[in-house]
Structures are given as C-alpha cells and as structure tokens.
Amino acid sequence: MNDNKALTGSDPFLRVTAAISTLCGWIAAGMVVAAVFITCQMIFVRFVLNHSTIWQTEAVVYLVIAATLIGLPYVQRLKGHVNVDLIPIALQFGPRKVLYVVVLSASALVMGMLAFYGYDFWQVAYQRGWKSDTVWGVRLWIPYLAIPVGFGLMTLQIVADIWAVLKGHERPFGLVRDPLNASGTGEL
C-alpha cells in the first residue's frame, strides 16, 4: 500500500500535509478500536451483568462517524478512495493532467463547502448548547466537531495532491505516461 501513498519530495507543504493526514489516520484507527472496546463492554454489561447501558450505544455511533470523517484525509493520501480510471487511461499525459486538476479542484470545492457549512452547524450547536435527547445528554458540539475538521483536512489533502502533480512530485491519477503502451516501454 505504500506505493500508492502521496509523494512529498522535499516540499515542506506536502510533508506537513502528509504528516497531518497520517496523524488523522492514527486518530481514526484509535476511534475504531475504542468503539470496539466500548461495544464489548456494553455487551458484557447488558448480557452478563444484566444491567442497562446509558452511554455506550451513543458513544459508539459518534466514534464510528468521527472516525470516518477524520480518516478521510488519510485515505485520500493513500489514494484509497474509489475511482474509475477508464478515461484517464485513454488520455495522453497533457489532457490527463488537466482532467486531474479539474476533477480534484471540483472535489476540493465540494469538500471546502462541506467544511464551511459543517463549521456553521458546529458553531450553532456550540452556541445554543445543544445536547442529545438521551439519558447521557452529550453536548453535541463535541461529536459535530468532526464534520468541519474532517472535511477541512480532506480539502487540505486534495489541495496538496493537486500541488504535488503540478510540481511534478506525482503523476496525474498515479498513471505512467502512456499506460496503454507501458508494457512495451518497461514503465509498468
């Protein structure tokens, strides 16, 4: 999987962004592990001790959602998001690079909008003191913080990916110059 990782070279922006994205991956993994342990504890409390649970289900839901959002930049760094390479493979290098920049710019715009409106949503929850309608009554600004943070850092990673291609650290879509004829040139 390391072969698919975004290349940073000596570019400080790319290196810092890669470090942030990797940290997000570790945090997301920790959240998933915590959700698993909380689920096991909940099962033990409910079915072995025959007690009711108060906070466990809600905590697991919030942890898994937050792990998904916080893990977005790490998955982008690893080039792990679903994509279709049919059109990029058929294009020559120049048009492929233009397509890459256009597609990732549109993606950055959408992720940036989600971060912006996610921040607005988080701020409203914080200012109004929203709490969940459960016995636990968690302050909702805490789990909602994952929305602007996750989408904001995803936007940053996408911008870093565009920068890496424009500076020549990476190839558009990770493809060799001419993938249809690469077997004859030894580039595969």
Side-chain angles (χ1 to χ4, degrees):
M1 194 156 333
N2 287 340
D3 294 341
N4 293 336
K5 234 186 327 190
L7 303 174
T8 60
S10 61
D11 191 305
F13 171 66
L14 295 177
R15 293 176 68 118
V16 168
T17 304
I20 291 170
S21 294
T22 301
L23 178 63
C24 287
W26 281 101
I27 291 170
M31 289 177 173
V32 170
V33 169
V36 168
F37 281 121
I38 291 170
T39 301
C40 292
Q41 187 268 352
M42 178 177 57
I43 292 168
F44 180 78
V45 167
R46 289 185 79 175
F47 297 107
V48 175
L49 300 179
N50 202 24
H51 291 101
S52 62
T53 56
I54 296 172
W55 58 272
Q56 290 89 337
T57 303
E58 193 173 9
V60 167
V61 169
Y62 290 143
L63 280 169
V64 170
I65 292 170
T68 302
L69 293 172
I70 300 297
L72 285 172
Y74 182 67
V75 175
Q76 177 66 25
R77 181 169 184 261
L78 295 180
K79 310 297 184 223
H81 291 289
V82 175
N83 61 53
V84 177
D85 291 339
L86 182 62
I87 294 173
I89 286 173
L91 292 175
Q92 295 296 320
F93 182 77
R96 184 183 311 136
K97 188 174 183 177
V98 170
L99 177 67
Y100 183 85
V101 171
V102 167
V103 168
L104 263 69
S105 295
S107 298
L109 179 67
V110 170
M111 293 296 124
M113 288 175 51
L114 288 169
F116 177 80
Y117 288 110
Y119 174 78
D120 188 47
F121 183 60
W122 169 82
Q123 189 177 29
V124 168
Y126 180 77
Q127 289 174 344
R128 294 185 182 174
W130 289 354
K131 291 185 176 183
S132 65
D133 294 332
T134 62
V135 176
W136 190 26
V138 68
R139 292 169 297 188
L140 290 175
W141 70 266
I142 297 168
Y144 289 176
L145 185 59
I147 299 168
V149 170
F151 287 122
L153 293 174
M154 174 70 167
T155 304
L156 179 67
Q157 182 60 52
I158 291 172
V159 169
D161 290 345
I162 295 169
W163 181 255
V165 166
L166 293 176
K167 289 304 234 177
H169 296 291
E170 285 191 53
R171 296 173 296 210
F173 301 103
L175 298 172
V176 295
R177 274 206 163 312
D178 187 8
L180 295 179
N181 295 321
S183 60
T185 62
E187 289 188 54
L188 285 178

